[in-house]
Amino acid sequence: MRIVITDSYEQMGMEAANIVAGQIYLKPDSVLGLATGSTPVSMYERLVAVHKTVGLDFSEVTTFNLDEYIGMSPDNPQSYHYFMQEYFFRHINIRPENVHIPDGMAKDMLAEGERYEKLIAAKGGIDLQVLGIGQNAHIGFNEPDLKFAATTHTVELDEETIQANSRFFQDASEVPRYAISMGIKTIMMAEHVILLANGRNKAKAVYKAVCGDVTPEAPASILQLHRDVVVIVDKEAAALLPEQIRGVTITRKG
Ligand code: PGA
């Protein structure tokens, strides 16, 4: 793992955007794995700016999002389909047919999971996967569990996740209880991974991801076994990382 600690949330987004942009420059037909939530917003803003100012070209890029709420139609402003359009896709020149997000309205979720996995495989797998992290150390919607879930599957959300996500809704009772999410295997198969986190409320999860035991009870800890992960965190999210790790990290100001 390479750890990059930044001075600010904006700088975190910039570092992540630089890696994504570099990936696209080197391989214009890259397959990106994308995340929603408040964490990656600054990365998307930066990528949009790079597209507008220097013409970063998304015309050959394919994307696969991590997850979607079950029962949420794409035109619902709380859906992750809507989020991605709003923050990213409508500002860049990606082709709609190259955008993939699990279908939260599918009749048969098992079949939807299989369809999604086959599509990823047909595109040659994910080149670069962007991840946020939950306060309970989930990645995608892979919640703490007794085993690592493999492929795209239905998830019952943890109470902690429901509470954390209730800030986007009128109240917690409106937060969907179920989601469809890429599995841990899907994520681990990606060639390169970036894990992003900001804010003091993510410090414990970041500690578990980087320094904790590798256990399905802290799903992000599996990333310690991946060959190419960059963890980009602001200094609040890095607050619990021990000195010996900080000694070998790259710190960026800005
Ligand atoms: P957040 O969510 O970016 O909104 O904090 C991250 C996550 O739950 O994975």
Side-chain angles (χ1 to χ4, degrees):
M1 278 183 166
R2 188 151 61 91
I3 321 276
V4 179
I5 301 176
T6 65
D7 255 10
S8 67
Y9 169 68
E10 289 70 28
Q11 185 73 21
M12 178 204 76
M14 195 174 296
E15 294 293 335
N18 286 347
I19 294 174
V20 175
Q23 171 70 38
I24 297 169
Y25 282 127
L26 288 173
K27 185 171 182 257
D29 61 348
S30 285
V31 179
L32 304 179
L34 297 179
T36 51
S38 45
T39 308
V41 168
S42 61
M43 177 192 78
Y44 290 132
E45 285 171 353
R46 178 71 184 168
L47 282 170
V48 168
V50 176
H51 168 70
K52 295 209 157 121
T53 53
V54 294
L56 179 63
D57 181 16
F58 290 88
S59 63
E60 300 301 322
V61 169
T62 296
T63 63
F64 286 93
N65 262 78
L66 282 165
D67 43 24
E68 179 58 284
Y69 289 122
I70 287 181
M72 198 69 98
S73 73
D75 56 354
N76 186 321
Q78 308 287 9
S79 73
Y80 290 162
H81 280 76
Y82 196 94
F83 175 101
M84 290 305 300
Q85 288 302 329
E86 207 50 29
Y87 284 99
F88 197 34
F89 296 144
R90 72 185 177 91
H91 306 287
I92 59 172
N93 66 331
I94 195 158
R95 295 193 186 137
E97 65 270 28
N98 288 350
V99 165
H100 306 283
I101 304 178
D103 180 4
M105 300 297 284
K107 291 258 177 308
D108 179 347
M109 283 298 156
L110 208 61
E112 173 59 10
E114 280 169 17
R115 182 193 71 85
Y116 207 62
E117 291 290 330
K118 277 195 189 131
L119 209 50
I120 295 172
K123 295 286 177 185
I126 292 169
D127 292 306
L128 173 62
Q129 176 67 56
V130 178
L131 298 171
I133 185 168
Q135 290 177 42
N136 61 3
H138 73 201
I139 44 177
F141 268 136
N142 292 283
E143 302 286 32
D145 205 343
L146 297 176
K147 57 180 175 37
F148 289 113
T151 52
T152 303
H153 63 297
T154 300
V155 185
E156 181 171 8
L157 301 182
D158 262 18
E159 198 47 45
E160 197 175 347
T161 300
I162 290 168
Q163 289 307 326
N165 289 7
S166 66
R167 70 188 193 279
F168 300 114
F169 294 79
Q170 298 276 24
D171 70 79
S173 68
E174 286 183 15
V175 184
R177 265 36 193 174
Y178 292 90
I180 177 165
S181 174
M182 275 187 200
I184 294 292
K185 182 175 169 198
T186 329
I187 293 169
M188 288 295 280
M189 296 273 285
E191 202 68 29
H192 311 282
V193 176
I194 315 177
L195 178 72
L196 304 179
N198 67 286
R200 192 68 177 82
N201 63 340
K202 296 292 175 70
K204 224 158 94 182
V206 168
Y207 175 85
K208 286 184 188 171
V210 175
C211 309
D213 293 339
V214 175
T215 164
E217 285 165 27
S221 64
I222 192 85
L223 297 173
Q224 293 173 34
L225 307 182
H226 192 283
R227 65 189 176 284
D228 186 4
V229 180
V230 185
V231 178
I232 309 174
V233 289
D234 73 353
K235 51 183 193 258
E236 281 84 28
L240 298 178
L241 293 180
E243 274 311 313
Q244 61 267 38
I245 287 204
R246 290 165 164 275
V248 294
T249 60
I250 305 158
T251 307
R252 301 246 213 271
K253 303 272 177 205

